[in-house]
Amino acid sequence: MVTIITGASDGIGAALARHLAASGGRLVLNARGRERLEALAATLPGSPVLVTGDVADPATAQALVNAARQHFGRIDTVVANAGYGLVRTIADTTPEEWQAILATNLLGTIHLVRAALPHLATQDLRDGYRGHVMLVSSALARRGRPEAGAYSATKAAQLSVAEALRVEVADQRIAVTSVHPVATATGFISAAEAHGGTWARGTSEPVQDPQVVARAMADAIARPRAEVWPHGLSRWALGLGTLWPTLFDGYFLRRMRRK
Ligand SMILES: NC(=O)c1ccc[n+]([C@@H]2O[C@H](COP(=O)([O-])OP(=O)(O)OC[C@H]3O[C@@H](n4cnc5c(N)ncnc54)[C@H](OP(=O)(O)O)[C@@H]3O)[C@@H](O)[C@H]2O)c1
């Protein structure tokens, strides 16, 4: 299976790359920085193809698709994983910050999908599918987080894209999966805090290992499904929150007041 992964040099993307490479997957890996990507590649079997570049640039998506076709002649799964967080109230998020986070988290996803779809649509079927699009969203797609409203909005937008796309490409036998991790022990929080602010986390909030998230993603790559919630309970809790929107307001308000 040939898999393209954006944001693969660290965190969830790197954990998925390790998992897939260990089971013989052929990989095309992306991040902006070359050094960490090369360090990861040196530890993986199967000589992954590396494509550096910012996912906010549509040329990066095209280069990833071209590299997969040139080296492997096929793309089974594209994983739009690259993204970052921002600790900011809605009132304090500047237009430039909105543009930057939308450009990476949302448009970065869309550029990859648009570059890949024409190729996925014309491939032969493999295990019942011509190809598979996997978008790494967040549990926050279902519940905007105070002081991370812009980030949450990008994750909710990815879910909307996945829901619409899944039906649009169903008859072409292209699978679409959105992934909804809870807090995961990666460099995500320190990267978010590098933009300023402190990412407050409640003591009762679950934190998962990136390998747990990667395993759930790899299972869904092998047997595509609509949504992946690596922390099962969060799906039901947030589902309840959609039926009862103020359910989580009190929890977040208490936490903000404490802070
Ligand atoms: N960790 C969590 O708590 C959590 C929870 C829910 C959802 N998620 C989602 O999971 C995804 C991965 O997060 P993570 O926790 O693995 O983050 P991470 O540990 O910070 O890793 C981010 C990876 O993406 C790359 N990257 C960042 N911006 C990029 C860009 N513009 N273009 C290309 N590559 C870029 C980074 O490398 P370079 O800096 O070299 O580019 C790095 O390889 C994100 O979409 C995030 O929203 C994370």
Side-chain angles (χ1 to χ4, degrees):
M1 298 277 271
V2 179
T3 308
I4 295 175
I5 309 173
T6 65
S9 67
D10 207 356
I12 293 170
L16 180 64
R18 284 191 200 96
H19 195 96
L20 295 178
S23 50
R26 291 175 294 173
L27 303 177
V28 180
L29 304 179
N30 153 266
R32 289 165 303 180
R34 180 118 208 140
E35 212 171 299
R36 279 195 300 175
L37 207 51
E38 281 179 347
L40 170 72
T43 67
L44 300 180
S47 307
V49 176
L50 308 183
V51 176
T52 50
D54 192 325
V55 293
D57 180 355
T60 302
Q62 199 55 60
L64 281 161
V65 167
N66 293 347
R69 283 167 56 84
Q70 189 188 329
H71 286 84
F72 304 120
R74 183 178 174 94
I75 307 165
D76 289 294
T77 308
V78 292
V79 183
N81 168 69
Y84 71 95
L86 184 66
V87 188
R88 215 59 102 240
T89 61
I90 294 293
D92 285 345
T93 311
T94 65
E96 293 74 23
E97 286 170 334
W98 272 105
Q99 274 170 7
I101 200 163
L102 285 164
T104 299
N105 294 9
L106 177 59
L107 295 181
T109 295
I110 290 167
H111 297 325
L112 184 63
V113 169
R114 294 195 71 236
L117 279 183
H119 302 286
L120 302 185
T122 55
Q123 296 184 140
D124 293 337
L125 291 168
R126 180 181 276 178
D127 297 336
Y129 293 97
R130 290 186 209 288
H132 186 182
V133 174
M134 178 173 273
L135 310 186
V136 183
S137 170
S138 166
L140 296 181
R142 294 257 190 246
R143 166 70 217 201
R145 183 187 179 100
E147 300 184 312
Y151 171 70
S152 305
T154 66
K155 296 289 134 181
Q158 284 179 303
L159 172 58
S160 291
V161 168
E163 288 171 341
L165 183 65
R166 190 160 50 245
V167 179
E168 289 167 3
V169 298
D171 283 345
Q172 296 170 65
R173 300 298 302 157
I174 298 171
V176 179
T177 300
S178 57
V179 183
H180 302 275
V182 293
T184 307
T186 68
F188 175 85
I189 297 216
S190 49
E193 291 181 346
H195 296 271
T198 305
W199 188 283
R201 196 150 59 196
T203 45
S204 57
E205 275 183 57
V207 180
Q208 288 197 304
D209 189 292
Q211 287 173 42
V212 172
V213 178
R215 222 174 10 250
M217 291 167 72
D219 284 351
I221 287 173
R223 283 174 300 281
R225 65 201 70 148
E227 293 184 9
V228 173
W229 288 77
H231 186 270
L233 194 62
S234 65
R235 176 181 215 164
W236 299 106
L238 289 163
L240 206 59
T242 16
L243 295 173
W244 183 11
T246 53
L247 182 67
F248 285 95
D249 287 6
Y251 165 74
F252 281 124
L253 192 56
R254 278 193 299 281
R255 210 183 57 191
M256 273 183 68
R257 283 177 180 152
R258 266 204 309 274
K259 191 178 159 198

